[in-house]
Amino acid sequence: MASIDYPLERPRPKEGEFSFSETLYRWVATVDHKRLGLMYIVTALLFLVIAGLMASVMRLQLAFPNNHVVGPETFNRLFTMHGTTMVFLVGMPFVAGLSNYLVPLMIGARDMAFPRLNAFGYWIFLFGGLLLYFSYIGGGGLSGHGSAPDVGWFAYAPLTSKAFSRGASTDFWILGILVAGIGSVASALNVIVTTICMRCPGMTLTRMPMFVWVMLIDSWLIIIALPPLTAAQVMLLIDRFLGGNFFNTQAGGSAVLWQHFFWIFGHPEVYILIFPAFAILSEVIPIFSRKPLFGRAAMVGAVVAIGFISLGVWAHHMFAVGMTSWSNTFFAASSMLVGIPTGIKIFNWTATMYGGKLRLDTPMLFCCAFLLQFLVAGLTGIMLAVSPFDWQLHDSYFVVGHFHFTLIGGLVFGLFAGMYYWFPKATGKLLCEKLGRWNFWLFVIGFETTFIPMHFLGILGMPRRIYTYAPDRGWDFWNLVSSLGVIAQAAAIALFIWNVIDSIRSGEKAGDDPWDGWTLEWATSSPPPEYNFEKLPVVRSSRPLWDLKHPHDPDWKFEQ
Amino acid sequence: MALLQGLGAALPEHRVANIFKPLATPAQSEYHIALLVLAITGAIFVVVAGLIVYTIWRFRRRPGDDAKQEPPQVYGSNQIEVAWTVIPILIVFVLIGVSARVIASVQNASPPPQMLKVTLIGHQWWWEVRYPDYGIVTANEIHVPTASATYLELQSADVIHSFWVPQLAGKTDLIPNRTNYSWIDPREPGVYFGNCAEYCGTQHANMLLRVVAQAPEDFKRWAAEQQKPAAENAAFQSLSCVSCHTIKGTPAKGKFGPDLTHLMSRRTLAAGAIANTAENLRQWVKDPQAAKPGSLMPSLQLTDQELGQVVNYLESLQ
Ligand SMILES: [Cu+2]
Ligand SMILES: [Cu+2]
């Protein structure tokens, strides 16, 4: 007991009364990892709402055959901006925001290793996002053609060449993403250096919280996966501005080359986006089951394995481009291998719950839904990896259903679990549990209603990215059902926003440790002071607060 | 009427293109592996989802539980973890083996010797269909005989498109600077519906494809009709239609738009956007942007008289 040295007395600095401009200045000029983390998350939520509204317009258009809510140009811009926003301006800043806010707190550090690089990362990301959206105004370029980009989020060549994409919309897409990517790499580097160099005394790598482990691997994956995209984008810029012909098929360039570049980035990117959800689940499930994470070492190994395998599966997005049967077999096989470590993760989370005492509060509800939805996404993923089956499913609505099960049913549900879990830490207030349950159930119902029918539509031969369809193709019913689900999802998001605003204004006080947590962020005040810990904590196991709370049964007795 | 039947007007139409109702060999073999994969993944789902739901239900906290009492702390178990690693490995290896076999059997199937050869060329946003052995060029409908296979050479004139007629064969992309191959062998006469399956720009949605499978003798008759040239028409030839469209036997030799030599033998206009009726044809020629906004066919601002002449002539292109 005497060896555990926690600062139990913490000074609570009084926030002085600041004028609006002073407050604004304190946020804009901040290099505090917690403020930057919150700024990332709030920005991501704003973009999530924008992308969600875009999706709603698309679902409105597709609710009925031959509908005229929007025309083809507008529709194509909507799905391009929706996809690009969700991946680069919602998923990526959530990665950065969560790791920024939580990693230093969880490893007992006072800040990230490079606070100013951190601030730079946020602002350059925001600039990239605004650049992308500025295309609605500036995308016409000098020739006056176009507005926002309409090339799809993976921007296949040669649709992006000057001949097929006039005006500047594609240039905004390239530059916006490229610039935002600089921010992602900066923040990933920062996370890596922070976790390697700034762990508090006693926190060996094996004692590092699972969340931090997953974010560390995620950051490595960002640093490995983003450069191919950046390189390809620079090549595309050379094509568009300097007369290069990398992807310009009219002058002998290669359309397939772009696909290789893009998916060498694009597939690991999927895991970059889902890993934060893995990280969140690995913290929330143990706390709400009252048991340690089952098989920690295997869980770390599984994430490493997924990250590694994910670098060698990219051409499963290209089964239809006419590769040899050998390449198709290779990429089918490598893609299916991902199923093994993913299975380990799902089994270990379930085993963590097995024999526990499950507290089914909102964060845990989101985790439970994640497990089932991500299971479905994984299984439809196996179907897509079987390349003969994929020849039918590829680029159909089945694929749209599949990746929304991963990215909404998986990632966004995981993020909601995380937001409900750490909101008390960040604000000092509890979110309303009753509204949380409404939020959860509405979201589940809306999600299933929208995305399950998409699988059926794909099986009925509906290709993705079509702005309209004829009434006699058998697609009307499921499209209408799918669109109706949007109502419940929108209500869920609106409830969440209301819950956040209301709780910040008049929520119940959370206290330092509302969930009876085991990791270091719960050892400081809510919200934490700027310096996080007055005195750096010293830890002896992977659950330092468990040790503190159970002096007769500490973890360090069992861990090597 | 005999002529109409020869053109396949009375054929059953498969508008709902369900991939689980295959009507040709490639789609059939894809369907068979799909069933196997569905069975395996379905079984996994039942077991794992059952386990998750059972765990949540069985171990949920109930009112009256002692909140202070923590459950036994279990950190892991090597035996159990090895078990649930080995089982997925076995399943994955079965799947890999089966996939490898089907991939090879579909992709490396050498075409039977006397196959019909068709070159399919994707354009923004229509399909050019060429029969090199017959000297026929048409658009948006691939006529093929039943009872034998048709070998498709897939190319693109501009961006990437994708050939997909779900009940006949899965997707193969049409990529500029590259030739891909696919084959189909519809067993029953009928009209099979498909769409361009790779996003190719503004009117990707209205890039529809029909495969018209006919009894071999009907196909022969259709081909003989298609080989005939059309009559010249001075009024039509004086308009700029000819700079984009070809009409065999006349000075119209444009290459940018679809060949119109036997326009009236096709079921649709504008790659399936509208049915080929007299009224639609008139509207389409008058203002293509109304029926298919973004289409690369401009409105020529024809006078009523010119429009009448053009439509009359087009209607003669049986
Ligand atoms: Cu992938
Ligand atoms: Cu197309």
Side-chain angles (χ1 to χ4, degrees):
Chain A
M1 181 63 206
S3 61
I4 303 170
D5 187 13
Y6 291 113
L8 291 174
E9 289 310 319
R10 286 177 301 275
R12 284 154 198 272
K14 266 268 180 290
E15 280 268 317
E17 287 293 309
F18 292 110
S19 71
F20 174 75
S21 61
E22 279 168 330
T23 313
L24 189 68
Y25 176 80
R26 281 163 57 84
W27 281 93
V28 171
T30 187
V31 293
D32 177 10
H33 73 98
K34 295 181 291 301
R35 284 178 177 246
L36 287 165
L38 291 178
M39 283 154 74
Y40 268 119
I41 290 171
V42 169
T43 315
L45 281 172
L46 280 176
F47 279 121
L48 176 72
V49 169
I50 293 172
L53 289 174
M54 289 175 158
S56 312
V57 176
M58 286 191 280
R59 280 317 319 166
L60 200 60
Q61 162 71 11
L62 291 174
F64 303 100
N66 289 335
N67 212 354
H68 290 285
V69 178
V70 290
E73 281 101 349
T74 311
F75 189 89
N76 297 345
R77 285 173 197 139
L78 282 173
F79 71 65
T80 303
M81 291 297 276
H82 169 79
T84 308
T85 305
M86 285 303 290
V87 170
F88 295 100
L89 307 180
V90 179
M92 294 304 265
F94 257 117
V95 177
L98 282 168
S99 46
N100 255 309
Y101 195 93
L102 291 167
V103 165
L105 284 171
M106 285 185 153
I107 62 172
R110 293 233 157 90
D111 203 323
M112 299 286 278
F114 307 118
R116 273 174 288 187
L117 179 69
N118 206 4
F120 168 78
Y122 170 78
W123 291 107
I124 195 107
F125 145 74
L126 184 64
F127 178 64
L130 295 179
L131 196 59
L132 179 68
Y133 272 82
F134 183 72
S135 61
Y136 272 106
I137 302 165
L142 293 177
S143 68
H145 289 281
S147 119
D150 61 352
V151 290
W153 87 273
F154 38 73
Y156 271 5
L159 206 54
T160 48
S161 69
K162 273 278 184 217
F164 302 107
S165 172
R166 290 183 285 173
S169 63
T170 299
D171 305 315
F172 278 101
W173 181 86
I174 300 170
L175 289 169
I177 302 309
L178 199 147
V179 166
I182 297 172
S184 298
V185 172
S187 131
L189 260 174
N190 211 349
V191 171
I192 293 173
V193 177
T194 307
T195 44
I196 291 177
C197 303
M198 302 194 43
R199 278 166 289 129
C200 67
M203 183 171 285
T204 59
L205 281 176
T206 50
R207 293 177 191 162
M208 203 160 73
M210 197 60 199
F211 181 94
V212 183
W213 258 113
V214 179
M215 285 314 206
L216 173 63
I217 298 162
D218 203 25
S219 302
W220 275 111
L221 209 49
I222 289 176
I223 285 185
I224 296 167
L226 266 179
L229 174 67
T230 309
Q233 288 181 316
V234 170
M235 289 157 81
L236 189 53
L237 282 175
I238 292 172
D239 276 12
R240 286 181 63 87
F241 286 102
L242 304 176
N245 292 313
F246 293 108
F247 310 116
N248 181 4
T249 48
Q250 291 177 324
S254 168
V256 178
L257 181 66
W258 170 269
Q259 300 192 13
H260 280 294
F261 271 115
F262 188 87
W263 291 117
I264 286 174
F265 150 78
H267 189 84
E269 171 68 13
V270 179
Y271 289 97
I272 292 170
L273 295 177
I274 197 70
F275 276 2
F278 287 5
I280 291 167
L281 256 74
S282 301
E283 295 300 325
V284 175
I285 288 182
I287 294 295
F288 285 81
S289 308
R290 309 311 302 163
K291 277 179 65 207
L293 187 65
F294 193 89
R296 252 177 73 86
M299 289 297 255
V300 173
V303 179
V304 174
I306 292 174
F308 187 75
I309 299 173
S310 79
L311 296 170
V313 302
W314 73 90
H316 65 205
H317 297 270
M318 299 166 59
F319 285 142
V321 304
M323 294 186 296
T324 63
S325 58
W326 283 109
S327 321
N328 282 338
T329 309
F330 174 85
F331 285 104
S334 63
S335 307
M336 280 183 239
L337 288 181
V338 182
I340 298 167
T342 312
I344 294 177
K345 297 215 68 95
I346 290 188
F347 290 137
N348 280 16
W349 283 321
T350 311
T352 306
M353 290 162 32
Y354 195 92
K357 278 184 159 185
L358 307 188
R359 220 158 59 189
L360 293 174
D361 295 333
T362 311
M364 188 61 175
L365 287 176
F366 275 105
C367 289
C368 295
F370 171 105
L371 286 180
L372 292 168
Q373 285 157 187
F374 193 67
L375 173 66
V376 173
L379 295 174
T380 52
I382 289 185
M383 298 177 200
L384 291 168
V386 180
S387 68
F389 200 176
D390 181 74
W391 290 328
Q392 287 287 12
L393 299 177
H394 178 70
D395 266 340
S396 75
Y397 254 82
F398 188 93
V399 174
V400 182
H402 159 75
F403 69 70
H404 281 92
F405 257 74
T406 30
L407 292 180
I408 307 296
L411 172 64
V412 174
F413 270 70
L415 292 176
F416 268 93
M419 287 189 290
Y420 273 91
Y421 181 60
W422 280 294
F423 183 87
K425 180 48 61 185
T427 61
K429 302 285 180 60
L430 286 171
L431 280 170
C432 170
E433 182 61 24
K434 198 170 156 204
L435 280 180
R437 278 160 196 274
W438 273 97
N439 172 1
F440 170 75
W441 285 110
L442 279 172
F443 204 9
V444 169
I445 291 165
F447 169 81
E448 313 292 351
T449 319
T450 297
F451 295 109
I452 290 177
M454 289 188 179
H455 295 86
F456 305 148
L457 287 168
I459 288 166
L460 293 174
M462 179 168 168
R464 67 194 280 199
R465 297 177 162 180
I466 57 173
Y467 78 98
T468 189
Y469 55 93
D472 55 9
R473 302 294 302 277
W475 301 336
D476 343 12
F477 176 71
W478 290 118
N479 268 306
L480 182 59
V481 173
S482 174
S483 296
L484 287 175
V486 172
I487 300 168
Q489 289 192 73
I493 302 284
L495 265 187
F496 174 72
I497 294 171
W498 168 247
N499 199 352
V500 167
I501 294 172
D502 192 50
S503 300
I504 289 178
R505 272 201 325 230
S506 56
E508 210 182 309
K509 280 239 178 336
D512 292 355
D513 185 12
W515 309 114
D516 196 358
W518 297 323
T519 37
L520 288 178
E521 78 271 28
W522 305 109
T524 182
S525 60
S526 307
E530 227 167 298
Y531 43 85
N532 293 351
F533 305 95
E534 190 194 2
K535 206 169 157 199
L536 284 186
V538 177
V539 302
R540 297 185 64 186
S541 81
S542 57
R543 295 194 297 170
L545 295 205
W546 169 276
D547 298 347
L548 191 69
K549 291 166 184 170
H550 300 84
H552 304 297
D553 180 28
D555 266 2
W556 50 263
K557 272 197 186 159
F558 306 99
E559 291 182 6
Q560 293 85 16
Chain B
M1 197 57 209
L3 179 68
L4 273 180
Q5 263 166 12
L7 298 174
L11 292 168
E13 294 203 323
H14 302 275
R15 287 177 184 268
V16 181
N18 189 337
I19 64 169
F20 290 146
K21 296 207 173 110
L23 295 164
T25 307
Q28 185 84 40
S29 42
E30 287 152 8
Y31 170 63
H32 281 148
I33 194 169
L35 286 185
L36 178 77
V37 176
L38 279 174
I40 295 177
T41 49
I44 298 175
F45 177 78
V46 170
V47 172
V48 180
L51 209 73
I52 295 171
V53 171
Y54 170 78
T55 306
I56 297 170
W57 184 253
R58 169 74 183 72
F59 297 103
R60 75 190 191 284
R61 177 162 302 192
R62 285 152 235 241
D65 278 3
D66 181 5
K68 283 277 157 287
Q69 185 64 41
E70 302 278 20
Q73 302 293 297
V74 181
Y75 298 87
S77 154
N78 286 340
Q79 293 93 316
I80 297 177
E81 285 173 67
V82 167
W84 65 47
T85 309
V86 170
I87 297 168
I89 289 177
L90 294 178
I91 296 174
V92 161
F93 276 92
V94 169
L95 277 172
I96 290 174
V98 176
S99 310
R101 227 189 57 214
V102 179
I103 294 169
S105 73
V106 176
Q107 268 194 284
N108 303 345
S110 47
Q114 286 188 328
M115 275 182 138
L116 172 66
K117 280 202 190 68
V118 171
T119 307
L120 185 66
I121 304 169
H123 293 257
Q124 282 181 321
W125 294 279
W126 58 281
W127 308 85
E128 180 178 348
V129 189
R130 296 177 156 266
Y131 295 74
D133 298 340
Y134 289 80
I136 297 171
V137 181
T138 178
N140 303 324
E141 279 176 21
I142 312 178
H143 284 249
V144 301
T146 52
S148 69
T150 300
Y151 191 65
L152 298 165
E153 275 193 12
L154 308 173
Q155 297 168 355
S156 169
D158 37 50
V159 300
I160 301 178
H161 305 273
S162 192
F163 168 79
W164 187 31
V165 183
Q167 290 180 288
L168 302 182
K171 289 166 207 78
T172 310
D173 292 347
L174 293 77
I175 301 173
N177 289 347
R178 183 185 174 105
T179 304
N180 275 336
Y181 305 96
S182 183
W183 60 282
I184 50 175
D185 58 345
R187 284 166 222 143
E188 301 292 324
V191 184
Y192 301 87
F193 279 60
N195 289 58
C196 172
E198 182 62 79
Y199 174 65
C200 54
T202 312
Q203 274 295 349
H204 167 57
N206 282 313
M207 184 163 166
L208 278 66
L209 180 63
R210 283 164 165 77
V211 171
V212 183
Q214 294 165 286
E217 57 276 17
D218 288 338
F219 173 76
K220 286 245 165 60
R221 213 161 1 176
W222 172 83
E225 278 296 319
Q226 295 284 315
Q227 282 168 322
K228 293 178 188 159
E232 296 201 24
N233 178 291
F236 181 80
Q237 283 152 24
S238 70
L239 293 166
S240 54
C241 307
V242 298
S243 54
C244 288
H245 294 284
T246 294
I247 297 177
K248 198 159 57 180
T250 78
K253 296 233 178 325
K255 291 273 180 264
F256 196 67
D259 186 299
L260 301 177
T261 313
H262 297 278
L263 178 64
M264 285 303 117
S265 73
R266 298 182 206 147
R267 287 168 173 68
T268 65
L269 299 169
I274 42 178
N276 190 356
T277 63
E279 180 50 30
N280 280 349
L281 179 62
R282 191 181 179 82
Q283 288 304 324
W284 170 247
V285 175
K286 190 171 175 215
D287 182 15
Q289 300 302 316
K292 194 170 174 178
S295 155
L296 297 183
M297 174 155 153
S299 165
L300 291 181
Q301 314 289 345
L302 301 178
T303 63
D304 280 352
Q305 196 205 347
E306 287 169 329
L307 184 62
Q309 286 169 333
V310 169
V311 171
N312 278 341
Y313 175 56
L314 290 177
E315 285 179 331
S316 77
L317 300 173
Q318 294 291 337

